[in-house]
Amino acid sequence: MATKPAIPKGTRDFSPEEMAKRNYIFNTISNVFRLFGFQQIETPAMENLSTLMGKYGEEGDKLLFKILNSGDFLSGISPEDITSGNTNKLAAMLCEKGLRYDLTVPFARFVVMHRNEISFPFKRYQLQPVWRADRPQKGRYREFYQCDADVVGSDSLLNEVELLQLMDEVYHRFGIRVSIKLNNRKILSGIAEIIGEHDKIVDITVAIDKLDKIGLENVNEELRSKGIPDSAIAKLQPIILLQGSNREKLAVLRNELSLSETGLKGVEELEYILDKLETSPLRSELVIDLTLARGLNYYTGAIVEVKAIDVQIGSITGGGRYDNLTGVFGMPGVSGVGISFGADRIFDVLNQLDLYPEDSLQTTQIMFVNFGEKEEAVCLKHISALRAAGIRAEIYPENAKMKKQMGYADAKKIGYVGIVGETEIEAGKINLKNMSTGEQKLLTLNEIIDLIK
Amino acid sequence: MATKPAIPKGTRDFSPEEMAKRNYIFNTISNVFRLFGFQQIETPAMENLSTLMGKYGEEGDKLLFKILNSGDFLSGISPEDITSGNTNKLAAMLCEKGLRYDLTVPFARFVVMHRNEISFPFKRYQLQPVWRADRPQKGRYREFYQCDADVVGSDSLLNEVELLQLMDEVYHRFGIRVSIKLNNRKILSGIAEIIGEHDKIVDITVAIDKLDKIGLENVNEELRSKGIPDSAIAKLQPIILLQGSNREKLAVLRNELSLSETGLKGVEELEYILDKLETSPLRSELVIDLTLARGLNYYTGAIVEVKAIDVQIGSITGGGRYDNLTGVFGMPGVSGVGISFGADRIFDVLNQLDLYPEDSLQTTQIMFVNFGEKEEAVCLKHISALRAAGIRAEIYPENAKMKKQMGYADAKKIGYVGIVGETEIEAGKINLKNMSTGEQKLLTLNEIIDLIK
């Protein structure tokens, strides 16, 4: 019996057209990574579960795809193990390996395993799929690509500056107008410190974020409902109402956080970045935004996020500075800063704004119609010459009906069709049809090479 | 407790240098695929086990990596299922999905699922990893890449010709001298037919292959030991002793196979290919080789294999024509022809012959030494200009000891180091050190751009 084929939910096939677009995205990002001195690595799709487990929280452990041990996977498992109902424990006995959940933990594992071969600071990038057993929904997949760049083994803030310039260059190349939001974990800590509410950072940033929508009174009300005392809320007022230019915001913060060493350190770090960017300014806008609180358990310095200005969609790039990437694998003291591009969202943005350059389609540039053996022989010589000139060329492999051959060229979005019949062979020329205008011209091979190149 | 990190056996990390080499290989092959009108697709790493099982024989089913169902994977499984000892059946209950084992079955599944969007003939290529739970050994991995190109939905032998030219172009670009071996399944069937031994094709080709090593007498002895009667062995003599040019071999075969319609069809197909290649000859040698019997259960026409001439290693590319790619998924009548490049072996050959072009390393082209804030500011402006000119440039992110900074440039194989101190700033120049010759020159930024580009 024939099986009706399907693919696992949350996964995707990519058609030639989608692949051309994705290659354009990955190539653009990779080229900029390399322009800035980053080098690519790859790690295996499968990691030992001992490497992955416990790194993404309890929820993350559940979302790991686990791989059934090969051979006799039941050996060493007792009937009690099975009937105990402890599926986590049983899964750990049935499976030694799991699929990569992100690129960060495998990168940390890579750094520790290859510490003696790596020359620090290590600027690496990685473009690979990751897998998560999340409930699939619109825009959320069980297999998707991450594009990460990190510098590890250097505390210099110059790395933050370089990464901001790198993001700016990538979006300039894409032609996507973006706003780059910047925050610093030390400032958030400083705020919590001065009001004496260390564990309320998230509540505070969430509330501040609503200022434009619900107004100051309601923000204060929300803070109160989270158990923050009135005295603290009073101290927070200048921070909630923070506005103006980046420099103006930093001036206010410097003042308000004067009693927090950590907070002032955060302000200084942002000032350093703004100073450095004065000599080579970004093309995108850069906005200091205290409501940015992504990766709060992880980031220790800069926090950054990129939003597309012309499309309503979540953050399309994010990152920050972290301490102690590799401590969990027994190698302390490796800090770093990194960013991650969201390829799937960039794909959506480029589609919505129709920003793919024409030549990113990477399809055949000229197809020859096949009229039979004699004409075919002439076309094959032409095709060899075209390919030698770097032009993507093909001939329809059979002497099929003209309509079928033209339909093929049409469906494949081929730019030109070459027609070589008796008349053209005698004239030593090619009848070239421009598939978008319909225009037809009798040209020599060399004229066609010049035209298409 | 810190875990000592490791990766699953049979899998690999790829370092920046290895990745640069692998990218060179994949980019070269992809560019030629596109030059010939092939378009890329990608399929998910995970397929439903119903798609994969039964497609690779009993042994293949065992080598599939299976993914444990998410959530309560024991639901619906009775204690008897577990104690029955039928691990295959139990695995099928615990796992719905498995990792891709090759690119052919997912491609067949893709063609059937997207039959209405595809314009046939469909020329697709695919470069993705596959996974096999094989026992790891030297040169055999549990995760490795396949690079396949296929044309499906066209019976024209022109496709065979094009694929031979494509392989020739790829190895020309690599600078690897190769011998392309060509055979045809129909000729092998014809041979079996005329001697009345349909199921002995493999025995016959294996024996013929030993002619050079063991001599005619021993070849005949081996055939006898396989149960082939003397009368058949007598008929086989001209075929065992087949030699001379490709045309001479075909003349002998045409004669010997005159009573087999299938055999003659095979001879004609090879003649057609030789004829077509006369107008645009291959640069590599093409040898008709009857001992080529790869994929005998699968291929129905051409069989092809590429061997490196200057390195002792197995076949580095192989392929052939097949019938009925998609029948198992309920879509009959889709035949095709395809080839597969062995990226790991090509990597070994290029390494052994040291054939990587210098610019394939893709590392940073110029690094600036960091002497502190003032000099750094000047360097950052230079770097922006260099990057705008497309040159991969970076600055060491900290004012570390000169030796450490130079060591970094050395380890990363950076071509040039730019030195900008007080003197250089005053002169408006850069002291450029060529890292391979040690030579140092005082140059302007524009001179450096011209030099490196």
Side-chain angles (χ1 to χ4, degrees):
Chain A
M1 263 307 291
T3 349
K4 198 165 194 179
I7 52 177
K9 60 182 176 178
T11 70
R12 291 166 288 176
D13 283 329
F14 294 111
S15 71
E17 192 175 334
E18 286 164 332
M19 277 309 297
K21 290 177 172 181
R22 290 171 68 83
N23 283 337
Y24 166 69
I25 293 171
F26 292 133
N27 289 340
T28 301
I29 296 173
S30 303
N31 284 337
V32 177
F33 282 164
R34 286 201 289 266
L35 198 63
F36 280 70
F38 288 82
Q39 295 185 303
Q40 191 173 11
I41 66 161
E42 277 188 8
T43 61
M46 299 187 285
E47 294 274 354
N48 291 327
L49 278 175
S50 57
T51 299
L52 301 177
M53 295 288 282
K55 309 301 189 298
Y56 307 105
E58 212 173 305
E59 195 52 29
D61 282 354
K62 282 192 200 142
L63 299 184
L64 290 170
F65 279 111
K66 300 173 186 74
I67 293 162
L68 191 68
N69 293 338
S70 310
D72 183 11
F73 53 85
L74 280 178
S75 88
I77 297 180
S78 69
E80 293 76 47
D81 292 327
I82 292 161
T83 49
S84 74
N86 188 341
T87 51
N88 278 347
K89 192 182 156 210
L90 186 58
M93 300 180 85
L94 290 168
C95 305
E96 278 171 9
K97 295 181 285 290
L99 292 179
R100 185 168 55 219
Y101 180 89
D102 71 359
L103 302 180
T104 304
V105 168
F107 174 49
R109 194 264 312 140
F110 180 100
V111 168
V112 176
M113 266 182 76
H114 304 281
R115 60 212 290 177
N116 296 324
E117 303 136 47
I118 293 171
S119 170
F120 293 97
F122 185 35
K123 298 168 79 170
R124 91 83 172 79
Y125 77 89
Q126 200 168 347
L127 306 180
Q128 291 192 276
V130 301
W131 295 270
R132 297 181 184 180
D134 249 323
R135 192 168 299 278
Q137 49 180 260
K138 190 178 177 305
R140 195 203 280 164
Y141 303 101
R142 292 184 147 192
E143 172 180 65
F144 59 97
Y145 270 75
Q146 291 194 332
C147 316
D148 288 13
D150 290 79
V151 190
V152 298
S154 166
D155 292 331
S156 167
L157 286 169
L158 199 52
N159 298 307
E160 274 83 336
V161 175
E162 286 268 291
L163 286 174
L164 288 169
Q165 286 178 326
L166 188 156
M167 291 187 275
D168 189 54
E169 179 67 26
V170 165
Y171 286 107
H172 174 70
R173 291 188 180 200
F174 282 138
I176 299 176
R177 296 198 312 145
V178 296
S179 174
I180 303 178
K181 319 271 190 199
L182 187 63
N183 195 5
N184 192 299
R185 173 67 157 89
K186 297 190 178 82
I187 291 179
L188 296 180
S189 299
I191 293 170
E193 194 182 327
I194 56 156
I195 62 167
E197 299 284 337
H198 278 276
D199 51 343
K200 294 274 163 63
I201 297 182
V202 172
D203 289 338
I204 294 169
T205 56
V206 166
I208 296 178
D209 197 26
K210 296 182 182 163
L211 183 66
D212 285 349
K213 275 191 218 127
I214 63 174
L216 182 61
E217 269 319 301
N218 291 317
V219 168
N220 289 338
E221 189 48 53
E222 178 163 330
L223 290 170
R224 222 168 275 130
S225 75
K226 297 290 177 185
I228 297 171
D230 284 345
S231 60
I233 293 175
K235 277 193 198 152
L236 275 176
Q237 296 306 295
I239 288 163
I240 297 173
L241 292 168
L242 197 69
Q243 52 185 341
S245 70
N246 289 330
R247 295 289 186 181
E248 286 164 354
K249 287 178 184 169
L250 288 183
V252 173
L253 287 171
R254 179 172 281 283
N255 196 38
E256 298 302 321
L257 299 177
S258 59
L259 293 178
S260 160
E261 202 183 320
T262 308
L264 286 179
K265 186 79 178 44
V267 172
E268 266 164 36
E269 289 185 8
L270 288 182
E271 274 168 351
Y272 175 96
I273 291 172
L274 294 184
D275 288 350
K276 291 284 158 184
L277 287 176
E278 259 169 22
T279 38
S280 336
L282 303 182
R283 280 159 289 204
S284 320
E285 67 169 18
L286 178 73
V287 183
I288 290 178
D289 181 349
L290 295 191
T291 65
L292 209 66
R294 57 178 288 134
L296 218 49
N297 297 323
Y298 183 62
Y299 293 131
T300 54
I303 303 175
V304 64
E305 212 170 88
V306 178
K307 298 272 281 183
I309 291 176
D310 302 307
V311 175
Q312 284 284 356
I313 200 167
S315 146
I316 53 180
T317 295
R321 175 166 287 277
Y322 45 84
D323 282 344
N324 200 13
L325 174 74
T326 51
V328 68
F329 296 119
M331 183 181 175
V334 179
S335 65
V337 54
I339 54 170
S340 183
F341 286 90
D344 286 305
R345 284 187 177 166
I346 292 171
F347 181 84
D348 288 343
V349 171
L350 289 172
N351 273 337
Q352 275 194 51
L353 301 177
D354 196 16
L355 287 177
Y356 291 99
E358 235 177 86
D359 67 353
S360 70
L361 258 180
Q362 300 177 327
T363 185
T364 298
Q365 292 163 290
I366 176 168
M367 181 199 90
F368 283 83
V369 175
N370 194 328
F371 288 120
E373 281 230 39
K374 188 182 156 201
E375 294 84 357
E376 191 184 279
V378 176
C379 292
L380 288 178
K381 286 197 86 103
H382 289 331
I383 288 177
S384 291
L386 285 160
R387 286 176 184 160
I391 292 168
R392 299 185 295 274
E394 64 180 298
I395 182 169
Y396 195 89
E398 283 154 36
N399 177 8
K401 288 208 179 100
M402 185 73 169
K403 198 183 157 199
K404 194 172 175 196
Q405 299 194 40
M406 295 306 279
Y408 173 87
D410 229 24
K412 212 166 161 178
K413 296 192 177 154
I414 294 173
Y416 294 95
V417 166
I419 296 160
V420 180
E422 291 264 349
T423 336
E424 288 82 6
I425 294 180
E426 269 167 38
K429 296 203 171 182
I430 297 157
N431 214 328
L432 188 77
K433 181 169 182 174
N434 180 322
M435 291 295 279
S436 40
T437 65
E439 200 190 359
Q440 226 164 300
K441 263 189 199 164
L442 200 65
L443 297 171
T444 66
L445 178 64
N446 284 332
E447 284 168 341
I448 290 178
I449 292 178
D450 288 343
L451 179 75
I452 299 184
K453 286 217 97 158
Chain B
M1 264 305 293
T3 348
K4 197 166 194 177
I7 50 176
K9 60 181 177 179
T11 69
R12 291 166 289 175
D13 283 329
F14 294 110
S15 71
E17 194 177 331
E18 286 164 332
M19 278 309 298
K21 290 177 171 180
R22 290 172 66 84
N23 283 337
Y24 166 68
I25 294 171
F26 292 133
N27 289 340
T28 302
I29 296 173
S30 305
N31 285 337
V32 177
F33 282 163
R34 285 201 290 266
L35 199 62
F36 279 71
F38 288 82
Q39 296 185 302
Q40 190 173 12
I41 67 160
E42 277 189 7
T43 61
M46 300 186 284
E47 294 274 355
N48 291 327
L49 278 175
S50 57
T51 299
L52 301 177
M53 295 288 281
K55 309 301 189 298
Y56 307 105
E58 212 174 304
E59 195 53 30
D61 282 354
K62 282 191 200 142
L63 299 183
L64 290 170
F65 280 111
K66 299 171 186 74
I67 293 161
L68 191 69
N69 293 338
S70 311
D72 184 11
F73 54 84
L74 281 178
S75 87
I77 297 180
S78 69
E80 293 76 47
D81 291 327
I82 292 161
T83 50
S84 73
N86 186 342
T87 51
N88 278 348
K89 191 181 156 209
L90 186 57
M93 300 179 85
L94 291 168
C95 305
E96 277 171 8
K97 295 181 285 291
L99 292 179
R100 183 169 55 217
Y101 179 89
D102 71 358
L103 301 181
T104 304
V105 169
F107 174 49
R109 195 265 310 140
F110 181 99
V111 168
V112 177
M113 265 182 76
H114 303 282
R115 60 210 291 176
N116 295 324
E117 302 136 49
I118 293 171
S119 170
F120 294 97
F122 185 36
K123 299 169 78 168
R124 90 84 171 78
Y125 77 90
Q126 201 168 348
L127 306 179
Q128 291 194 276
V130 301
W131 295 270
R132 296 180 185 182
D134 249 322
R135 194 169 299 277
Q137 50 180 259
K138 190 176 177 304
R140 194 202 282 165
Y141 303 102
R142 293 185 146 190
E143 173 181 64
F144 59 96
Y145 270 75
Q146 291 193 334
C147 315
D148 288 12
D150 290 79
V151 190
V152 297
S154 166
D155 292 331
S156 167
L157 287 169
L158 199 52
N159 298 307
E160 274 83 338
V161 175
E162 287 267 291
L163 286 174
L164 289 169
Q165 287 179 326
L166 187 156
M167 291 187 274
D168 189 55
E169 178 67 26
V170 165
Y171 287 107
H172 174 70
R173 291 187 179 201
F174 282 138
I176 299 175
R177 295 198 311 145
V178 295
S179 174
I180 303 178
K181 319 269 190 201
L182 188 61
N183 194 5
N184 192 300
R185 173 65 155 91
K186 297 190 178 82
I187 291 179
L188 296 180
S189 299
I191 294 170
E193 193 182 325
I194 55 156
I195 63 167
E197 299 284 337
H198 277 278
D199 51 345
K200 294 273 163 63
I201 297 183
V202 172
D203 290 338
I204 294 169
T205 58
V206 166
I208 297 180
D209 197 27
K210 295 181 182 165
L211 182 66
D212 285 348
K213 275 191 217 125
I214 63 175
L216 183 61
E217 269 318 301
N218 291 316
V219 168
N220 288 339
E221 190 48 53
E222 179 164 329
L223 291 171
R224 223 167 276 132
S225 75
K226 297 290 178 187
I228 297 171
D230 283 345
S231 58
I233 293 175
K235 276 191 200 154
L236 275 176
Q237 296 306 295
I239 288 163
I240 297 173
L241 293 168
L242 197 69
Q243 53 183 341
S245 70
N246 289 330
R247 294 289 186 182
E248 285 163 357
K249 288 178 184 168
L250 288 184
V252 172
L253 287 170
R254 179 173 280 284
N255 196 37
E256 297 302 322
L257 299 176
S258 57
L259 294 177
S260 159
E261 201 183 321
T262 308
L264 286 180
K265 186 80 177 45
V267 172
E268 266 163 36
E269 290 185 8
L270 287 182
E271 275 168 352
Y272 175 95
I273 291 173
L274 294 184
D275 289 348
K276 291 285 158 183
L277 288 176
E278 258 170 23
T279 36
S280 336
L282 302 181
R283 280 159 290 204
S284 321
E285 66 169 19
L286 178 72
V287 183
I288 290 179
D289 181 349
L290 294 191
T291 66
L292 210 67
R294 57 179 288 136
L296 217 50
N297 297 324
Y298 185 60
Y299 292 131
T300 53
I303 304 176
V304 63
E305 211 168 90
V306 179
K307 299 272 282 182
I309 290 175
D310 302 308
V311 175
Q312 284 283 357
I313 200 166
S315 145
I316 53 179
T317 295
R321 175 167 288 277
Y322 44 84
D323 281 345
N324 199 12
L325 174 74
T326 51
V328 68
F329 295 119
M331 184 181 174
V334 179
S335 65
V337 54
I339 55 170
S340 184
F341 286 90
D344 286 305
R345 284 188 177 166
I346 293 171
F347 180 83
D348 288 344
V349 171
L350 289 171
N351 273 336
Q352 275 194 52
L353 301 177
D354 196 16
L355 286 176
Y356 290 100
E358 236 179 83
D359 67 352
S360 71
L361 257 180
Q362 299 176 328
T363 185
T364 298
Q365 292 163 291
I366 175 167
M367 181 199 89
F368 283 83
V369 175
N370 194 327
F371 289 120
E373 282 230 37
K374 190 182 155 202
E375 293 84 358
E376 190 184 280
V378 177
C379 292
L380 288 178
K381 285 196 88 100
H382 289 332
I383 288 176
S384 291
L386 285 159
R387 287 177 182 158
I391 293 169
R392 298 185 295 275
E394 64 180 299
I395 182 169
Y396 195 88
E398 283 155 37
N399 176 9
K401 288 209 179 98
M402 186 73 168
K403 198 185 157 197
K404 194 173 173 195
Q405 299 193 41
M406 294 306 279
Y408 172 86
D410 231 22
K412 211 166 162 177
K413 298 192 174 151
I414 293 173
Y416 293 95
V417 166
I419 297 161
V420 180
E422 291 265 349
T423 337
E424 286 83 7
I425 293 181
E426 269 167 38
K429 297 205 171 181
I430 297 157
N431 212 326
L432 188 76
K433 181 171 182 174
N434 180 321
M435 292 294 281
S436 41
T437 65
E439 199 190 359
Q440 227 165 298
K441 263 189 198 164
L442 200 66
L443 297 171
T444 65
L445 178 65
N446 284 332
E447 285 167 343
I448 291 179
I449 292 177
D450 287 343
L451 180 75
I452 299 184
K453 288 217 95 160

